[in-house]
Amino acid sequence: MQKRGAGNRRKLAGFTAAMAASCTIVLGTGGTAWAASAGEGRGYALEVKAGVSLVGLGLDIPLVDTGLQSAPPAFNVSGKMLAADIGGAKDSLISLKAGVLSASTGSSLAQNRVETTAGISDINLSIAGVVAIKADVLQSQVHSTCVNGAIQPTGAATIENLSISVLGIPVPIPLNLPPNTGLNTGILEIVFNEQTPVDGGMEVNALRIGAKIPTLADVNLVLGHSQASLADCAAAQGDTTPPEVDITTSPVINADNQDAYIVAGSCTAGDGNVKVTIGKAPKFVTMTTACNAAGAWTAPAANVASLPLGPVDITATQTDAAGNTGTRSVITTKTTAAATDTTAPVVAVDNAAAINAGNEHGYTVSGTCTAGDGDVRVRIGTAPNSVEAIAACGSNGQWTTAATDLGGLPAGTVPIQASQTDAAGNTGTANVSVTKADTTLPVVTVGTPPQINAGNQGAYILSGTCTVGAGSVTVTIGTAPNAVVATAPCDSNGHWTTPATDVSALPAGTVGIHVAQTNAAGNSGTADATVTKVDTTPPTTPSVTVVNPPTIDAGNQGGYILSGTCTAGGGSVTVTIGTAPKAVVVTVPCDGNGHWTTPATDVSGLPKGSVTITVTQTQATGDVDSSTATTTKTTPGAGDAPGSDSVAAIPVGGAWASLLLLGAAALGLRRRGRQPGPQRSGRHHD
């Protein structure tokens, strides 16, 4: 019995490394903060450009292209393709087979950076059938950062297990390929780790191949293109932190207080006066009050009788000596009712959980209130990053906010204030504080997993990338109750590899792989993949046979019949009489008694002599049973004329192929403008 299964696919190590968030604003000497106002990034795995249409090639359409991305706002774009097969026809100029194609680009202007990565794994490239290039990985990376008032772009290429041959003859390759290493024969140009400066950044091609073919085409092939740039690196001198100002007292405006209306709040002591504006143009009142040493302010009694009835905006601003301004706005109401009620509502916060990655995008707060005294206004956080929510006070004296997104709040202590104002303008408040944990998720990936088979199931190994400093990686292979769990450390380079793990108990078929990394704050990053486990049951004796095939002669060659045995319920039987290209193929059912018989079949075209008969049956498990037998044909076939079986020679070459060979004698990698270094081969990392 023969088994079928896909071959192992090599992993593309470190191929989807995430954008590192390792720093905030970088400070230079003298307390200067440096910041970039804009940036761009783009990556694509493969692009082919040619002057004419070439058979089998899609031109000028980059594969796995992030597109040109611009910040602000921040961007994080990635893409992946599991395989590529381009060209391959005998008249194709370029033939390319590759494994995983991937590209990603991301920005964080708050961290003064744009990063891009792109590349291909398992490359098998042929140019005109003359030049062959193979590599495990061709990948480019570009980083553009703002440091100490200067844009600092860096780029590199990762080249693993590179080999080049011309007409089957290997070409020695230096161990370490510096930037812009290659050759140029005038007809053929090959450049590895091609680095080109651009405004505020850099472009890197892991590999670029150019072919100038007179009278035919100019071809440019790029594998692994990355670019990243920043628009500027401006300095912001001195203090850049705005004051924190808030409004804590803003009663309803009514007939009793409109002539001497008082607003109060908190402020940053030492950062100057607080400016208060009540109402909007054309009718508003503005005043300035001091921020005392305790960080509080109270505005002078203001006459707001001229303000229109309805909602009234109140804004407080504080500007420090460095020109940084903090602002807080609330909305109250103006009514003509008299304030006969002086009792403030009683409001409390009973349930306010710590903020974490699991609830920060749907956070709720609840508590008690005074039924009939209006809605509860909830403010979470401190200006300018605070978030407000309105909760109805139910008839049972309970309130709960709707799910609120707190993703924009910084980590640390977060104040929560709930307030309720009745119709007479009396306000009751309650204050609590909670903690917001670091909600940054680790970034973890799993490389292309190898197929599980009889050879590796007892010591199966997986690997991938992880976030340095975020703890070990937990790898779950399969599903309960047969799941196997392995733990792998995350090394200083951001990679993990499981120990050899026994997965032989997993059932055959599709196997899920789940990878998780949890940091000290309890935030988990995950990644998933699937792999196939082939049926590892040892093969058994074939159960499909052909019984005593008769000799083929003039009497039966026009209606030849065969029969045999098979596995009942195991699917149809395929009978192949003779060998290619003149074989005759017949598919017949396997009956309930485990027998098969072909209809009368014309085999007169088979050549005279020995004839091989092959029968196969594919089981529901995917296993293929087969057996063979031989017979003899005594009569000549239609194709038995002398010389009829010969194969015509396929012309090779062309004008352009000859021109390529002109540069073959000079083929040998060299640094542009320099003599070649020591001739070595191996893995290449730039």
Side-chain angles (χ1 to χ4, degrees):
M1 181 164 40
Q2 302 169 342
K3 310 278 185 178
R4 295 179 180 176
N8 294 341
R9 186 187 296 259
R10 294 187 294 273
K11 69 182 179 70
L12 181 58
F15 197 60
T16 56
M19 301 300 170
S22 59
C23 60
T24 55
I25 296 177
V26 180
L27 295 179
T29 58
T32 301
W34 307 100
S37 64
E40 291 184 342
R42 181 188 185 187
Y44 56 80
L46 173 66
E47 184 181 43
V48 180
K49 292 185 178 180
V52 300
S53 178
L54 301 174
V55 176
L57 296 181
L59 306 178
D60 301 319
I61 304 176
L63 296 181
V64 192
D65 185 8
T66 67
L68 184 62
Q69 305 295 321
S70 299
F75 60 84
N76 192 346
V77 180
S78 62
K80 180 182 288 186
M81 180 186 293
L82 295 182
D85 189 351
I86 298 175
K90 65 180 181 180
D91 54 350
S92 293
L93 176 65
I94 297 173
S95 175
L96 173 66
K97 296 183 181 295
V100 179
L101 289 75
S102 182
S104 64
T105 185
S107 69
S108 178
L109 297 183
Q111 299 172 357
N112 296 308
R113 65 170 54 196
V114 177
E115 299 178 339
T116 302
T117 301
I120 308 179
S121 70
D122 297 337
I123 303 100
N124 193 336
L125 173 66
S126 175
I127 305 173
V130 176
V131 179
I133 299 177
K134 297 181 179 180
D136 285 355
V137 175
L138 290 172
Q139 176 183 329
S140 62
Q141 296 179 328
V142 178
H143 309 258
S144 189
T145 58
C146 173
V147 179
N148 292 332
I151 299 175
Q152 296 186 1
T154 59
T158 299
I159 301 174
E160 296 184 2
N161 287 344
L162 172 67
S163 65
I164 300 177
S165 64
V166 178
L167 297 176
I169 302 174
V171 177
I173 305 169
L175 180 62
N176 296 308
L177 294 173
N180 301 309
T181 298
L183 65 92
N184 192 339
T185 68
I187 296 175
L188 182 67
E189 183 183 29
I190 302 177
V191 184
F192 296 96
N193 191 12
E194 185 178 47
Q195 299 187 8
T196 305
V198 298
D199 289 342
M202 175 182 292
E203 295 182 353
V204 176
N205 296 323
L207 171 63
R208 182 178 64 80
I209 302 171
K212 297 183 178 182
I213 306 170
T215 74
L216 289 180
D218 289 347
V219 180
N220 199 60
L221 177 68
V222 175
L223 292 84
H225 171 86
S226 297
Q227 66 185 76
S229 62
L230 293 173
D232 52 30
C233 188
Q237 301 289 337
D239 180 17
T240 60
T241 304
E244 294 184 0
V245 62
D246 201 0
I247 301 171
T248 57
T249 302
S250 56
V252 172
I253 303 171
N254 53 43
D256 290 345
N257 66 14
Q258 65 178 356
D259 295 328
Y261 186 70
I262 296 177
V263 186
S266 62
C267 50
T268 302
D271 277 357
N273 295 330
V274 177
K275 180 181 179 182
V276 182
T277 302
I278 306 173
K280 290 183 177 181
K283 294 184 178 182
F284 62 92
V285 176
T286 299
M287 66 203 81
T288 300
T289 186
C291 177
N292 64 28
W297 61 269
T298 300
N303 188 333
V304 294
S306 62
L307 300 182
L309 299 176
V312 177
D313 290 337
I314 302 176
T315 301
T317 61
Q318 186 181 23
T319 302
D320 63 17
N324 306 301
T325 298
T327 302
R328 173 66 175 160
S329 296
V330 299
I331 299 175
T332 189
T333 302
K334 184 180 180 183
T335 179
T336 57
T340 57
D341 180 11
T342 60
T343 302
V346 178
V347 63
V349 179
D350 295 335
N351 296 292
I355 305 168
N356 53 43
N359 65 16
E360 68 172 341
H361 298 298
Y363 189 76
T364 60
V365 187
S366 61
T368 60
C369 51
T370 301
D373 277 357
D375 294 337
V376 176
R377 183 184 300 272
V378 183
R379 184 176 68 253
I380 307 172
T382 305
N385 298 312
S386 59
V387 177
E388 284 198 355
I390 303 297
C393 182
S395 59
N396 59 353
Q398 304 287 327
W399 61 268
T400 301
T401 64
T404 304
D405 190 351
L406 305 182
L409 300 184
T413 301
V414 178
I416 299 177
Q417 183 184 80
S419 63
Q420 185 181 24
T421 302
D422 61 21
N426 306 300
T427 300
T429 62
N431 295 276
V432 299
S433 293
V434 298
T435 299
K436 183 181 181 183
D438 177 12
T439 57
T440 303
L441 301 180
V443 179
V444 62
T445 69
V446 56
T448 302
Q451 180 191 70
I452 303 173
N453 53 42
N456 65 12
Q457 66 176 356
Y460 191 65
I461 296 175
L462 292 168
S463 61
T465 64
C466 48
T467 298
V468 177
S472 297
V473 176
T474 300
V475 183
T476 303
I477 309 170
T479 56
N482 300 311
V484 179
V485 179
T487 300
C490 181
D491 65 25
S492 59
N493 296 316
H495 295 90
W496 61 267
T497 301
T498 62
T501 304
D502 188 353
V503 295
S504 58
L506 298 179
T510 301
V511 177
I513 298 171
H514 181 75
V515 180
Q517 186 181 27
T518 303
N519 62 17
N523 307 306
S524 296
T526 63
D528 295 279
T530 59
V531 70
T532 300
K533 182 183 180 188
V534 301
D535 183 3
T536 58
T537 304
T540 59
T541 303
S543 59
V544 62
T545 64
V546 58
V547 177
N548 299 325
T551 300
I552 304 172
D553 54 30
N556 65 9
Q557 67 176 359
Y560 190 66
I561 297 174
L562 291 169
S563 62
T565 64
C566 50
T567 300
S572 299
V573 176
T574 300
V575 183
T576 303
I577 309 170
T579 56
K582 297 178 180 181
V584 179
V585 180
V586 181
T587 299
V588 296
C590 178
D591 64 27
N593 297 317
H595 295 92
W596 61 266
T597 303
T598 65
T601 303
D602 187 357
V603 295
S604 60
L606 297 179
K608 181 180 180 181
S610 179
V611 178
T612 299
I613 301 169
T614 303
V615 292
T616 61
Q617 184 182 27
T618 301
Q619 308 295 336
T621 61
D623 299 332
V624 178
D625 299 336
S626 66
S627 65
T628 60
T630 59
T631 189
T632 302
K633 186 172 186 288
T634 61
T635 58
D640 281 342
S644 63
D645 294 332
S646 63
V647 180
I650 300 174
V652 178
W656 58 269
S658 299
L659 292 170
L660 284 174
L661 295 175
L662 294 176
L667 188 63
L669 294 179
R670 57 181 173 80
R671 183 75 182 270
R672 292 178 176 174
R674 299 183 181 180
Q675 296 297 319
Q679 305 290 311
R680 295 177 290 174
S681 61
R683 300 177 67 88
H684 310 280
H685 302 274
D686 291 292

